[in-house]
Amino acid sequence: MTIKDTPEEWEVRATETPFKGNKTSVRTDDVVMPDGSVVRRDYQVHPGSVAVLALDDEDRVLVLRQYRHPVRHKLWEIPAGLLDIPGENPLHAAQRELYEEAHVKAETWRVLTDVYTTPGGCDEAVRIFLARDLSAAEGERFEVEDEEADMELARVPLDELVRGVLAGELHNNCLVVGALSLVAARQGDGLDALRPAEAPWPARPFEA
């Protein structure tokens, strides 16, 4: 048996959107179950996101610390952000986020992994990139606001991040998945075997 996620869509008898926000909304679907019963499912509709595990020449990962109000924590994270428009090239979005949040650019990009962050209650899909050969970005720094105005930046050895993940000290989804995926890739076929930066992404199709 091949262990692989497969697309499937059960019949929806009715749908409504009781809440619409600036970036996301809440949808309610009446979904037909295998036994023929109809069950109501509420979930967040999300445009999709990208995240960047930026690795420097000293095997340190660029991380930032940001307040996240829903969980009442300051979390260490990797640079990440929303896809601004439907069909946006995720590589371009990732390059933008790395510039805006860290004022850094990278010469070498690969797809590290793709995840659904919380598939039981949200349709968010995230593509996590590996960025290497880092250097300072040209021009003025992007002007941040709100929670990002209080953001801290650091470069942390990959081994220290993995230790923190396994110790239950680091909780951000993209940081956890990204750090562990990088270790797994190194122990497997190597970083050059990772998918190219503009590999297809069925969860959020785009024009290369």
Side-chain angles (χ1 to χ4, degrees):
M1 182 177 65
T2 300
I3 303 299
K4 181 179 180 180
D5 296 335
T6 55
E8 185 169 337
E9 188 168 353
W10 292 1
E11 180 186 353
V12 175
R13 291 277 174 84
T15 187
E16 58 185 72
T17 306
F19 170 80
K20 289 185 179 181
N22 289 332
K23 298 292 185 180
T24 66
S25 59
V26 173
R27 181 175 296 160
T28 298
D29 287 345
D30 292 340
V31 186
V32 180
M33 297 290 108
D35 64 0
S37 63
V38 178
V39 176
R40 178 155 288 196
R41 292 287 179 257
D42 302 316
Y43 59 99
Q44 183 185 20
V45 178
H46 194 284
S49 307
V50 293
V52 184
L53 195 146
L55 188 70
D56 70 13
D57 293 337
E58 298 178 43
D59 213 41
R60 300 175 303 175
V61 177
L62 195 156
V63 292
L64 46 93
R65 190 170 181 241
Q66 185 172 345
Y67 176 66
R68 294 300 188 183
H69 187 70
V71 295
R72 308 304 200 270
H73 269 70
K74 272 193 169 182
L75 299 180
W76 285 104
E77 308 179 351
I78 58 176
L82 302 176
L83 297 172
D84 280 350
I85 56 174
E88 181 178 15
N89 186 311
L91 174 60
H92 299 167
Q95 292 168 333
R96 178 184 67 240
E97 293 301 327
L98 186 60
Y99 163 74
E100 291 182 356
E101 295 193 346
H103 201 66
V104 166
K105 64 179 180 179
E107 295 301 321
T108 304
W109 292 82
R110 293 276 185 172
V111 174
L112 192 51
T113 191
D114 300 324
V115 295
Y116 291 117
T117 54
T118 49
C122 179
D123 71 352
E124 181 184 16
V126 180
R127 169 157 282 188
I128 303 175
F129 289 90
L130 173 63
R132 291 175 290 165
D133 301 318
L134 309 181
S135 61
E138 295 92 358
E140 296 183 3
R141 293 190 67 93
F142 181 78
E143 187 173 344
V144 297
E145 57 185 12
D146 301 328
E147 289 91 344
E148 292 183 352
D150 188 48
M151 205 159 54
E152 305 169 49
L153 288 171
R155 295 193 183 206
V156 178
L158 176 62
D159 289 347
E160 178 63 15
L161 292 182
V162 172
R163 185 208 63 77
V165 167
L166 299 180
E169 298 169 356
L170 299 170
H171 307 88
N172 175 262
N173 182 291
C174 292
L175 185 151
V176 171
V177 173
L180 298 184
S181 294
L182 177 56
V183 171
R186 282 177 165 173
Q187 294 176 349
D189 295 331
L191 302 187
D192 289 338
L194 291 169
R195 287 172 290 162
E198 294 195 287
W201 189 17
R204 294 294 185 273
F206 65 94
E207 293 289 338

